Amino acid sequence: MPSPPLRPPLQARADARLASRIARSAAAPEGAQLRTGDFAAWLAERGRANEFRVDRIPFARLEGWSFDGRTGNLAHRSGRFFTVEGLHVTEEGPPYGDGPYADWHQPVIRQPEVGILGILLKEFDGVPHFLMQAKMEPGNPNLLQLSPTVQATRSNYTGAHAGAQVKYLDHFVGPRRGRVIADVLQSEHGSWFYRKSNRNMIVEATGEVPLLDDFCWLTLGQIGELLHRDNVVNMDSRTVLSCLPATPPSTPPHSDAAATHALLGDTELLSWITGERARHAVRAECVPLAGLPSWKRGESAIEREDGRYFRVVAVSVRAGNREVTGWTQPLIEPVGQGVTAFLTRTFAGVPHVLVHARVEGGFLDTVELGPTVQYTPDNYAHLDARDRPRFLDTVLRAPADRVRYEAVHAEEGGRFLGAESRYLIVDADETEAPQDPPPGYAWVTPAQLTSLVRHGHYVNVQGRTLLACLNASAAKAR
């Protein structure tokens, strides 16, 4: 692999110190303020301390939302927040097993504003801790999950909702902002959002930080343990944590082993990604929601005529600890539980994961690296074996002793209702996942993925979740 670019010695030493501090936090199974064994009781108590309720409603009961008489698009009267529109996607490049459909229509969420997902870091007793929030989102299966310190759209933090100010926001923007550890624009779900990005930030606090209700300080080791529990750590936390400049102990950043034995060198990997983007000619354009082919609108749902993939629904929400305590809104509700997985193998003593260069209609740059498998099996049950997604059956049939990590995690609860995926990391062999993979797939090391995540729009949100889980699995093992 080509030598990494030269860095000033002071910066190199600072990076090494930061990596050491993050590793110290990952190795700490208990925190200075809240024991891991007490977390479930703390979260339950926060749930009892606030009123939470979500009810499905017909579209006619949406307050401030309406369908445009000409386009049929669903929008808020303020012109803020987001709209639900139609999307027409055409892929003109060679399919290479990416799926049987090269042309489709669907509803999509269009939210051009960039939100902030930020986690505050502070040392206690020499160990970095992360400030996490027990936050209610209407689409969460269990409503209350562990979110970043700040999780706010631009409409939220600029006051478009006329609610209370976002807590701790001044640590991430403005003159009081602390030391930046990570700050990168990352994509949201490309299958349900149109070109949506959020600012993923980790900031080290300067000075004292008051601990408010619904917040707690946890070590990275504690968060790693919680990532092994179903529906505890929300999607926004997982994507921010993936941006940490840390890797599992077996493949430390820029280690000789990782540099020498990665199947693709860094330059080769970047060239492969560029090639994947170049070979896919994708045209995605927003179109009117009214009259969308293969979709129908009823009183309470917009759904496909065959009932597959997802539907658009409406809900009424009560949440006592949110900036606004009551509102109504549309949500996307997937049909069925997803399966999202990395196949993993070790080459020359270095672990690799098999990534897929995924085309999703809402991506800003055509292709991002995703997991080996990212599908809802029920959507493909009707297809012949040759048309089913690659590697899906390998994951579904994996014996228990091959599964290195497994947990059910919800997707973004502010826009998606009950959207759950079974996240897995599964050991494979040469017959199941060859060293020379099919077109559209590549073996990369966790260290390489970590490096790519430090830059925007290389790794999709499901891949970033699995990277956070991969690191959590390594932390738990040691």
Side-chain angles (χ1 to χ4, degrees), residues 340-360:
T340 305
F342 272 144
L343 292 181
T344 181
R345 291 185 62 188
T346 297
F347 300 102
V350 177
H352 288 63
V353 295
L354 186 61
V355 298
H356 181 199
R358 287 186 58 87
V359 173
E360 297 182 11

Side-chain angles (χ1 to χ4, degrees), residues 402-419:
R402 293 279 194 94
V403 178
R404 292 178 47 195
Y405 174 89
E406 180 176 9
V408 174
H409 293 303
E411 305 304 328
E412 212 281 303
R415 297 291 178 266
F416 312 133
L417 179 62

Side-chain angles (χ1 to χ4, degrees), residues 89-104:
V89 183
T90 303
E91 183 183 356
E92 300 174 358
Y96 286 117
D98 291 335
Y101 308 114
D103 183 281
W104 72 93

